[in-house]
Amino acid sequence: MARNISLSIWAFVYSLCFGMSECYFAIPLKIYAGKYNVSSSALNVTSLRGVTSDGGGLSLASDPTGKVNFLDMVNNLEGDSGRGYYIEMSIGTPGQPMNILVDTGSSNFAVAAAPHPFITHYFNPALSSTYVSTGIDVSVRYTQGNWEGELGVDQISILKGPNGTISINIAAILSSEGFFLPGINWQGILGLAYPKLARPDSSVEPFFNSMVKQLEIPDIFSLQMCGAGLSASNTADPAGGSLIMGGVEPTLYRGSVWYTPVIEEWYYNVEVLKLEVGDQNLDLDCREYNMDKAIVDSGTTMLRLPVNVFNAVVEAITRSSLIQDFSSGFWDGTKLACWMKGETPWRFFPKLSIYLRATNTSQSFRITILPQLYIQPIKDVDGMLDCFRFGVSSSANGLVIGATVMEGFYVVFDRAQRRVGFALSSCAVSGGVALSEVDGPFSAADVAADCSNRMFKESVMWVVSYALMAICAMVLIILLLLLVLPLRRRHRSGEITDESSLVRHRIK
């Protein structure tokens, strides 16, 4: 889904050229020279993952109305950071089972409705007695990949979801490019963002909006993705996770949920105050972090950063890392870094921290990921080596808190109160070590009062408005002059001259 989206990750290497790199601890580092294929699909994928809170919240194991039982939804996701996290649904009448990718960075519910070489089966509208086509064409283009199809309406139910069947808008995908990729095990996408992102326009009600209305469940969902520290190409034991619709499940997180406001309802647009690499503050203007937008997107694989921020992060990691002469290809994603089997590089890299504005806007809180989340293992590259990729990338359209970060946390999308919450995920643990941290509150006074670029956008709109008003005023003055001047040029006989094109042929 910024629509920024890397979904299927499998390592494919064309050639090997290893070069030993010196380091303080004589680490047998090797750079895998030659490109590895980190494919992405409809969005950019990387991975994901309760309630006491900083400002109150919901903490139920089930809904008293009986519409939802959160414990029944635990572990209803399959997949991993490489191929995305998906949930099984039954579409149409009789039901056709489909695996649907969970994406908080888009708003359309779309499913394959035609054969494709990379999917095992597809939804056939002709076999559903409840499918109704609207005849409206629809297309969605992501950062990488796109699809085209036709809008329709049909019934869906979720085995491990809220009780009941709902009628939803479905985009039947008839053609696509770079959306379905090798190795995936899903046939559609579940966009969980706001109506403003829906295509062809915001009148197409998104899936979760329909569910809240028809089943009368609370307007909140939460997400745990359990791929933290696992190989991005591990097919033996998919990580899985949980999508809790209607609330939060306390068994999936530890500690408190810290909430940040949603500053605009299109993507889950939040406000980032600063980034730290280890104990190094990047000392950038906080507006740089929010340039264009800063969003929380389960359909994006990496932590994606605006170019200036990305360069500053790489420079800070390089300064604090104990490895010398690191190849630039590792940072830009064209090369893997490899060590002899059994050597783990994580102790040589710093933590990464993101400060978010709290719902009490004079405060902030910090979410931190350990190197195990952003220095990511890639399996099946070489029998003698353990290879890793950099789970952070540069972005031309905003900062995206994607799966690289989300796998460390239980993330609550509280749409009713326009906020997104972060708590420590119960599955973000490796070897008994927690791979993430949440701390706060901190004062927000050490950064600018507003980092979201909203003031800039509003000032631009005012300038544009005043400019348009000035242009309209000038046009009106010119029109009045053109109407008044001919009256002063009348002949004494009272006849109107033929010099004004405005009155020509109208008065004889």
Side-chain angles (χ1 to χ4, degrees), residues 477-488 500 502-503:
I477 291 171
I478 293 171
L479 290 173
L480 286 172
L481 289 174
L482 291 174
L483 288 170
V484 171
L485 288 177
L487 297 177
R488 296 186 174 183
S500 172
L502 292 177
V503 296

Side-chain angles (χ1 to χ4, degrees), residues 5 8 66 169 291 300 335 351 354 393 405 430 438 466 489:
I5 276 153
S8 165
N169 292 302
M291 192 62 65
T300 294
K335 295 179 182 178
K351 300 176 182 178
I354 301 172
S393 64
V405 176
S430 179
V438 183
Y466 283 127
R489 305 175 84 164

Side-chain angles (χ1 to χ4, degrees), residues 236-250:
D237 185 20
S242 304
L243 171 62
I244 308 298
M245 292 160 275
V248 294
E249 171 47 51

Side-chain angles (χ1 to χ4, degrees), residues 303-340:
L303 166 61
R304 306 194 73 222
L305 303 173
V307 175
N308 288 346
V309 179
F310 175 78
N311 291 336
V313 166
V314 169
E315 183 180 344
I317 293 176
T318 303
R319 281 198 304 265
S320 60
S321 172
L322 299 175
I323 301 173
Q324 296 176 321
D325 303 323
F326 225 106
S327 167
S328 61
F330 176 70
W331 307 117
D332 64 25
T334 59
K335 295 179 182 178
L336 298 176
C338 300
W339 282 261
M340 297 303 295

Side-chain angles (χ1 to χ4, degrees), residues 181-341:
L181 296 174
I184 62 170
N185 191 31
W186 46 265
Q187 298 83 42
I189 184 169
L190 169 57
L192 289 169
Y194 293 99
K196 190 173 180 180
L197 289 185
R199 296 293 180 266
D201 56 57
S202 59
S203 67
V204 178
E205 185 174 72
F207 172 94
F208 197 70
N209 294 65
S210 299
M211 174 174 281
V212 168
K213 279 185 184 178
Q214 296 175 42
L215 298 184
E216 298 180 334
I217 65 173
D219 193 8
I220 177 175
F221 66 89
S222 48
L223 192 56
Q224 182 192 54
M225 296 157 70
C226 295
L230 299 181
S231 168
S233 62
N234 186 5
T235 58
D237 185 20
S242 304
L243 171 62
I244 308 298
M245 292 160 275
V248 294
E249 171 47 51
T251 62
L252 299 181
Y253 68 92
R254 294 174 287 112
S256 298
V257 178
W258 289 85
Y259 286 98
T260 184
V262 173
I263 61 176
E264 186 176 353
E265 292 175 307
W266 56 327
Y267 296 95
Y268 291 96
N269 195 166
V270 298
E271 187 177 2
V272 174
L273 301 185
K274 67 177 179 178
L275 264 67
E276 287 180 346
V277 175
D279 58 359
Q280 301 176 73
N281 185 345
L282 297 186
D283 289 326
L284 296 174
D285 186 318
C286 65
R287 288 176 176 81
E288 294 237 34
Y289 303 125
N290 301 276
M291 192 62 65
D292 188 36
K293 59 185 175 293
I295 66 173
V296 183
D297 178 10
S298 67
T300 294
T301 305
M302 307 282 186
L303 166 61
R304 306 194 73 222
L305 303 173
V307 175
N308 288 346
V309 179
F310 175 78
N311 291 336
V313 166
V314 169
E315 183 180 344
I317 293 176
T318 303
R319 281 198 304 265
S320 60
S321 172
L322 299 175
I323 301 173
Q324 296 176 321
D325 303 323
F326 225 106
S327 167
S328 61
F330 176 70
W331 307 117
D332 64 25
T334 59
K335 295 179 182 178
L336 298 176
C338 300
W339 282 261
M340 297 303 295
K341 271 220 179 299

